[in-house]
Amino acid sequence: MLVDLHTHTVSSDGTSTISELIDCALSNGLTHLAVTDHDSIGSLKEFMRLAPLKGIFPISGIEFGCPYGANREVHILGYGFDFENSALNDVLENLRRSRKERFAKILDRLSKFGIEISKEEAFSSAKGALGRMHIARLMREKGYVASESEAFNLYIGDGKPAYITRESLSIGETVSLIRNAGGVCVLAHPGPRGLSEDDVKSIFLQGVEGLEVFYPEHSHDERKFFLSIALKFGKLVTGGSDFHGSRNGVAQSIGMGDYPEKYFKEFLSRIRS
């Protein structure tokens, strides 16, 4: 059983269509897969229909960025929800409008640094939820930066000259939204976010039911640390690659071979209940 509970498609900042993602998962031996696009469920209908036909068990997912403390953000993954839920769809439509306005403001700021990307060009490059990664890719393709990472580090990353704050849901709002649609919430990649045990505990207290322990950027010691926290508080343990198709033109790996089956079965039982 090979699983990946954290992947992205062209409906947010990934480079793969659903068909391409499924084919990639199959070629790498995956049996269970979740699509977790940022603020978007645009790919889920096709995914939930097509994946079983190809022999992959599909799990509905989404990823939200939520403010945490002073000038920090954490990411919350939602799983196993009804993606046709009307309240969920209404909130996502509002976020889509907000993203479009933010997108345009970032492009305006970049123009002041001699980086000329038209709104039409940028919007056409983003097939789903508009995000900074779409801008970063265009900046690389047009030769303004050497890589997407450089675009973030110099211009559009948090606190950089062309950064614009985006509208987002609080952790509590996200939990309520996903729970009311029948799903569960998991705290994503706590290591790269620099979260302590107290941080994770405070997020659990807001209704988050699991922790993404098995993650490519977590060191061995970080996995042990976050696993101990999840087990201490009786939370679900998940694993995902954060697959985006390619980054800086380089294909990413998919699947979490070291994610223990026993934890996945507990997760699967929860989202089916």
Side-chain angles (χ1 to χ4, degrees):
M1 181 181 290
L2 186 57
V3 176
D4 198 327
L5 297 178
H6 193 162
T7 69
H8 298 276
T9 75
V10 292
S11 284
S12 63
D13 59 347
T15 61
S16 302
T17 64
I18 281 297
S19 181
E20 290 168 342
L21 174 65
I22 291 173
D23 286 346
C24 180
L26 284 171
S27 65
N28 283 276
L30 270 69
T31 56
H32 296 72
L33 184 67
V35 169
T36 54
D37 282 316
H38 297 281
D39 298 349
S40 175
I41 54 173
S43 287
L44 287 186
K45 187 173 183 179
E46 181 185 7
F47 173 59
M48 300 299 284
R49 177 188 64 82
L50 188 58
L53 300 178
K54 296 291 189 74
I56 286 183
F57 185 94
I59 298 165
S60 60
I62 193 168
E63 184 172 10
F64 291 99
C66 304
Y68 176 73
N71 302 315
R72 298 176 73 187
E73 182 181 81
V74 295
H75 286 199
I76 304 296
L77 294 158
Y79 293 108
F81 53 86
D82 173 14
F83 56 86
E84 295 183 340
N85 178 272
S86 59
L88 173 64
N89 278 270
D90 287 346
V91 168
L92 294 178
E93 180 56 37
N94 288 334
L95 290 175
R96 274 192 289 272
R97 285 195 291 268
S98 175
R99 276 180 175 268
K100 190 171 183 177
E101 293 169 2
R102 182 197 190 209
F103 209 69
K105 290 177 181 177
I106 292 174
L107 295 179
D108 287 341
R109 284 204 179 177
L110 286 173
S111 69
K112 296 176 182 178
F113 296 94
I115 298 172
E116 299 297 338
I117 299 173
S118 71
K119 294 179 176 63
E120 293 74 19
E121 180 182 20
F123 290 150
S124 66
S125 75
K127 299 178 177 63
L130 302 169
R132 286 177 291 170
M133 184 58 72
H134 297 113
I135 297 174
R137 287 184 188 131
L138 283 172
M139 290 172 68
R140 175 177 62 83
E141 290 168 7
K142 294 169 78 70
Y144 290 116
V145 293
S147 67
E148 284 111 356
S149 297
E150 185 176 298
F152 278 87
N153 292 336
L154 295 181
Y155 298 103
I156 62 176
D158 295 5
K160 301 303 178 180
Y163 175 75
I164 298 288
T165 303
R166 67 179 176 82
E167 181 181 344
S168 56
L169 303 178
S170 69
I171 295 171
E173 288 170 335
T174 297
V175 169
S176 294
L177 187 67
I178 295 299
R179 276 189 174 175
N180 289 338
V184 300
C185 285
V186 170
L187 174 60
H189 41 60
R193 294 286 156 178
L195 300 182
S196 66
E197 179 172 344
D198 286 343
D199 290 325
V200 174
K201 179 181 177 181
S202 73
I203 293 167
F204 284 162
L205 289 173
Q206 296 181 67
V208 173
E209 300 174 66
L211 186 61
E212 188 176 55
V213 172
F214 295 88
Y215 184 75
E217 294 182 33
H218 284 168
S219 68
H220 176 72
D221 286 344
E222 283 178 318
R223 292 185 183 199
K224 286 179 61 179
F225 173 66
F226 289 118
L227 178 60
S228 69
I229 294 173
L231 297 180
K232 177 180 179 179
F233 292 102
K235 300 298 182 178
L236 298 170
V237 174
T238 69
S241 68
D242 207 357
F243 178 80
H244 282 75
S246 65
R247 283 267 175 92
N248 297 319
V250 178
Q252 293 182 287
S253 61
I254 191 171
M256 295 301 293
D258 57 354
Y259 176 37
E261 186 173 328
K262 65 176 181 178
Y263 297 131
F264 174 65
K265 287 183 174 178
E266 290 172 1
F267 165 82
L268 198 59
S269 176
R270 179 73 65 85
I271 66 170
R272 282 174 162 174
S273 63

